């Protein structure tokens, strides 16, 4: 875990001041970097939508320091939401709960619910403390990337997407690497809107309730509001991403080996025997947490090489891999 030296302390104070005056700051969290504004200032939040090129009715997550701060934004916190917050906050879990009138209105995209998360990153927490001293009760922050692009997991990623005048608080590499698990708590039972590193199994164990999948709601015609994090095609690298089984991947590589196609790249659980020069290989960690940590950074690296295709071996169909699998599926869908 990173320690906060005097220099970083000063940067955190400066960031809090910028946020209090209604401007944007890019902030580190344990999941991905966020593009933050004072959640109570609709005009400041509007700047996020403009900077990202994101539709204004797509709701943003509001970051708070403690579970007790959730009451400022939430009109009601159901019992099972409380259990989730107790178990996983601070950490990579967002709960969607009913929203108080006139609280985080623009951040909620006009919806009558609000997404809340207490981040565990020490810099994010120090910043939220400083913000509280200046009267800022929560920070609305989507991922700090342009709309539809891969989320940033370090400060360099953010700087690559936005103009140089954006203040970026550098908190190093994100430890989790993919966005938070989102659970809609506005119905009788929890609904999984976006899988992440807190797994469906963990949510069911903690709440004692059966988790409903967003796909099931679609069948019932009762789906949650359209939002970037749940769009079919999202988290897209520039290259075309294709998913293969281990066997398919091996076959495809043999097929293309003779043609010497340029700019083919793959992520594999095992490296193929014959190394082909036109392919850049990245070994996929066989541990879900490590893979999540590396994923977006690898995709952004590949884009730096201006490759045409990214070939990825499918990850296991296990609860702890669901977050990674979801991001890969969406990245592949946009090709
Ligand atoms: O890990 C994360 O969650 C990161 C870091 C910065 O905290 N944030 C993030 O934000 O991924 P963003 O804006 O890229 O994704 C937020 C998603 C929306 O796309 C939507 O799916 C969901 O959160 N969301 C937020 N508020 C909601 C609401 N009131 N109703 C339904 N969905 C909501
Ligand atoms: Mg995002």
């Amino acid at each position: 875990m990173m320690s906060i030296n005097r220099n970083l302390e000063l940067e955190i104070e400066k960031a809090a001041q910028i946020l209090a005056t209604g401007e944007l700051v890019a902030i580190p969290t344990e999941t991905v970097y966020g593009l933050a504004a004072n959640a109570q200032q609709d005009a400041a939040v509007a700047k996020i939508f403009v900077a990202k090129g994101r539709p204004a009715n797509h709701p943003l997550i509001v970051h708070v320091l403690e579970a007790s701060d959730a009451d400022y934004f939430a009109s009601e916190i159901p019992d099972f939401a409380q259990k989730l917050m107790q178990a996983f906050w601070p950490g990579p879990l967002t709960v969607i709960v009913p929203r108080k009138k006139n609280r985080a209105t623009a951040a909620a995209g006009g919806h009558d619910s609000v997404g809340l998360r207490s981040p565990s990153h020490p810099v994010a927490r120090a910043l939220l403390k400083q913000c509280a001293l200046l009267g800022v009760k929560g920070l609305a922050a989507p991922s700090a990337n342009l709309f539809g692009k891969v989320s940033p997991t370090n400060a360099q990623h953010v700087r690559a997407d936005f103009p140089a005048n954006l203040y970026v608080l550098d908190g190093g590499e994100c430890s989790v690497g993919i966005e938070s698990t989102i659970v809609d708590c506005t119905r009788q039972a929890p609904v999984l809107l976006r899988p992440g590193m807190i797994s469906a199994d963990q949510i069911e164990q903690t709440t004692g309730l059966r988790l409903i999948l967003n796909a099931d709601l679609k069948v019932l015609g009762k789906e949650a509001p359209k939002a970037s994090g749940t769009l079919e095609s999202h988290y897209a690298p520039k290259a075309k991403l294709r998913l293969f089984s281990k066997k398919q991947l091996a076959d495809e590589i043999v097929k293309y080996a003779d043609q010497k196609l340029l700019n083919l790249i793959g992520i594999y659980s095992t490296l193929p025997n014959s190394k082909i020069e036109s392919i850049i290989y990245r070994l996929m960690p066989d541990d879900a947490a490590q893979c999540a940590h590396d994923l977006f950074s690898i995709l952004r690296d590949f884009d730096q090489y201006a490759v045409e295709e990214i070939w990825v071996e499918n990850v296991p169909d296990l609860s702890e891999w669901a977050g990674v699998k979801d991001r890969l599926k969406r990245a592949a869908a946009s090709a």
Side-chain angles (χ1 to χ4, degrees), residues 52 54 143 145 151 179 234-235:
K52 276 194 64 128
R54 176 175 172 141
S143 51
N145 52 280
S151 291
E179 304 85 348
H234 202 53
Y235 313 107

Side-chain angles (χ1 to χ4, degrees), residues 253 257 260 271-281 283:
I253 288 173
K260 288 267 179 212
L271 286 176
N273 287 334
S274 62
K275 290 217 175 169
I276 303 162
E277 266 176 46
S278 58
I279 300 183
I280 301 172
Y281 299 97
L283 210 57

Side-chain angles (χ1 to χ4, degrees), residues 146-164:
L146 296 177
F147 181 61
K149 292 295 164 197
V150 177
S151 291
T153 57
N154 63 42
Q156 291 71 31
H157 292 163
V158 180
R159 293 194 181 105
D161 274 12
F162 294 97

Side-chain angles (χ1 to χ4, degrees), residues 29 31-35 52 54 58-61 63 94 96 107-108 111 113-115 117 141-143 145 151 178-180 182 184 193-194 224-225 227-230 234:
T29 83
T31 56
V32 300
Y33 274 69
L35 185 61
K52 276 194 64 128
R54 176 175 172 141
H58 284 191
L60 312 176
I61 294 167
H63 299 72
T94 298
I96 312 289
H111 299 287
S113 58
V114 61
R117 178 165 108 76
S143 51
N145 52 280
S151 291
I178 61 171
E179 304 85 348
S180 60
I182 303 180
D184 185 343
L193 293 188
R194 181 173 71 188
S228 330
T230 57
H234 202 53

Side-chain angles (χ1 to χ4, degrees), residues 35-335:
L35 185 61
N38 180 353
Q40 270 304 91
Q41 258 180 291
D42 287 356
V45 171
K47 293 175 189 171
I48 296 177
F49 291 100
V50 173
K52 276 194 64 128
R54 176 175 172 141
N57 63 344
H58 284 191
L60 312 176
I61 294 167
V62 176
H63 299 72
V64 294
L65 188 58
E66 307 290 352
S68 54
D69 298 316
D71 292 333
Y72 182 79
F73 296 99
S75 62
E76 185 203 329
I77 300 177
D79 209 43
F80 67 87
Q82 204 81 55
K83 282 185 187 152
L84 290 172
M85 288 155 63
Q86 235 160 48
F88 301 114
W89 279 14
L93 176 88
T94 298
V95 293
I96 312 289
V97 288
R99 181 173 63 87
K100 272 190 184 141
K101 242 188 147 85
N102 301 324
R103 297 282 156 85
T105 310
H111 299 287
D112 55 12
S113 58
V114 61
L116 297 173
R117 178 165 108 76
S118 172
S120 65
H121 195 293
V123 174
R125 298 190 65 73
L127 176 66
L128 283 165
K129 269 182 208 150
Q130 276 299 318
C131 282
L133 296 177
L134 301 175
V136 177
K137 309 268 194 190
L139 294 175
S143 51
N145 52 280
L146 296 177
F147 181 61
K149 292 295 164 197
V150 177
S151 291
T153 57
N154 63 42
Q156 291 71 31
H157 292 163
V158 180
R159 293 194 181 105
D161 274 12
F162 294 97
N165 64 354
L166 174 69
Y167 195 76
V168 182
L169 198 50
D170 191 342
E173 290 279 331
C174 300
S175 59
V176 176
I178 61 171
E179 304 85 348
S180 60
T181 303
I182 303 180
V183 181
D184 185 343
C185 301
T186 64
R187 305 156 202 263
Q188 261 80 316
V191 181
L192 184 66
L193 293 188
R194 181 173 71 188
M197 291 318 283
I198 290 174
S199 71
D201 288 353
Q202 286 175 292
I203 293 163
E204 292 192 332
Q205 272 159 26
T206 303
T207 59
L209 295 169
R210 187 129 172 262
L211 187 58
I212 299 168
L213 301 180
N214 203 21
D216 299 339
L217 285 183
K218 272 183 206 151
V219 173
L220 297 171
K222 293 179 183 164
E223 49 189 314
K226 275 271 170 289
S228 330
T230 57
L231 288 183
E232 188 85 348
S233 140
H234 202 53
Y235 313 107
K238 291 191 199 105
K240 181 181 172 65
L241 191 143
R242 299 170 66 193
L243 288 167
F244 295 102
S245 70
K246 199 185 201 68
K247 165 92 171 59
Q248 281 171 330
L249 192 57
D251 291 350
E252 286 293 301
I253 288 173
V254 171
K255 251 202 297 200
Y256 283 103
D258 301 333
Q259 301 180 22
K260 288 267 179 212
L261 265 193
L262 284 177
N263 293 335
L264 285 175
I265 271 175
I267 310 177
Y268 307 97
S269 61
T270 47
L271 286 176
N273 287 334
S274 62
K275 290 217 175 169
I276 303 162
E277 266 176 46
S278 58
I279 300 183
I280 301 172
Y281 299 97
R282 289 297 171 86
L283 210 57
M284 178 176 282
D286 57 12
D287 170 72
Q290 188 62 44
C291 188
H293 174 272
D294 295 355
L295 182 65
F296 289 157
S297 210
I298 289 179
L299 293 181
R300 278 186 179 254
D301 273 0
F302 282 170
D303 271 347
Q304 294 279 308
Y305 290 109
V307 303
E308 286 161 20
E309 298 199 4
I310 302 173
W311 294 4
V312 187
E313 187 180 310
N314 269 321
V315 298
D317 256 319
L318 297 170
S319 178
E320 74 254 36
W321 282 92
V324 169
K325 200 179 184 75
D326 168 81
R327 302 312 185 277
L328 284 172
K329 213 176 75 196
R330 288 177 209 286
S334 63

